[in-house]
Amino acid sequence: MTVRRFHAEIGTAITTGALGVAAIIGAAELGTGWSDHGPQPGYFPFWVAIVLIGASLWNLGGAIAAHRKAQCTPPDPLDDPEEPFLPRQNLIRIATFLGAMTAFVIGMLTVGFYVAATFYIGLTAWRQGGFRLWKGLAIGAGFAVSLYLIFETIFQIPLLKGPLEPLLGIY
């Protein structure tokens, strides 16, 4: 499957437009007008969402116009909306990255931030960095320890803990 630039532009315009609509709904809950003390909390987010929706519609129209123009005239090779946006190899790399990030988030919610960070950094160093597995996991553990020292001890900001940290006396 190859994603064409036209489809990517349409998808992006629809997504940003939907975010604008969601922002308008959220702003409406906060109030978008003026009160005795000035603008209500949703006033500025409402107008930013209006601009976002306008830009999304502009991009949507531009993508459709470029697509129609390409169907009527020979396309310019440097500006062809039918050219692949993401060649298959790049799409696989992005999917791999998003899969690893999803696994990290799920791991963070189940085993805690520090354990998940150790495995994420370690396995990424092993698979993509070319390190041996034990070296990658050592790098991940060192990174997790440094995060613990920075956030938990210096700034005193607790991060998400899992079931392993209480067993080690960390929490």
Side-chain angles (χ1 to χ4, degrees), residues 55-68:
S56 299
L57 291 172
W58 179 269
N59 290 336
L60 182 65
I64 292 170
H67 180 69
R68 286 187 179 166

Side-chain angles (χ1 to χ4, degrees), residues 25-133:
I25 293 169
E29 292 175 0
L30 298 173
T32 59
W34 284 83
S35 67
D36 295 338
H37 303 290
Q40 291 177 322
Y43 180 80
F44 292 110
F46 173 78
W47 288 107
V48 169
I50 293 292
V51 170
L52 181 61
I53 290 171
S56 299
L57 291 172
W58 179 269
N59 290 336
L60 182 65
I64 292 170
H67 180 69
R68 286 187 179 166
K69 179 182 175 187
Q71 290 179 338
C72 297
T73 61
D76 179 7
L78 299 176
D79 193 30
D80 182 11
E82 296 303 318
E83 73 182 12
F85 176 72
L86 285 175
R88 185 175 191 81
Q89 187 65 17
N90 293 354
L91 187 61
I92 291 170
R93 291 177 68 195
I94 291 171
T96 302
F97 172 76
L98 290 176
M101 287 304 297
T102 302
F104 172 67
V105 170
I106 291 170
M108 186 174 56
L109 295 173
T110 57
V111 297
F113 180 77
Y114 299 110
V115 175
T118 298
F119 281 107
Y120 176 75
I121 297 295
L123 294 176
T124 301
W126 172 55
R127 295 288 295 170
Q128 295 179 356
F131 289 89
R132 293 185 177 173
L133 181 59

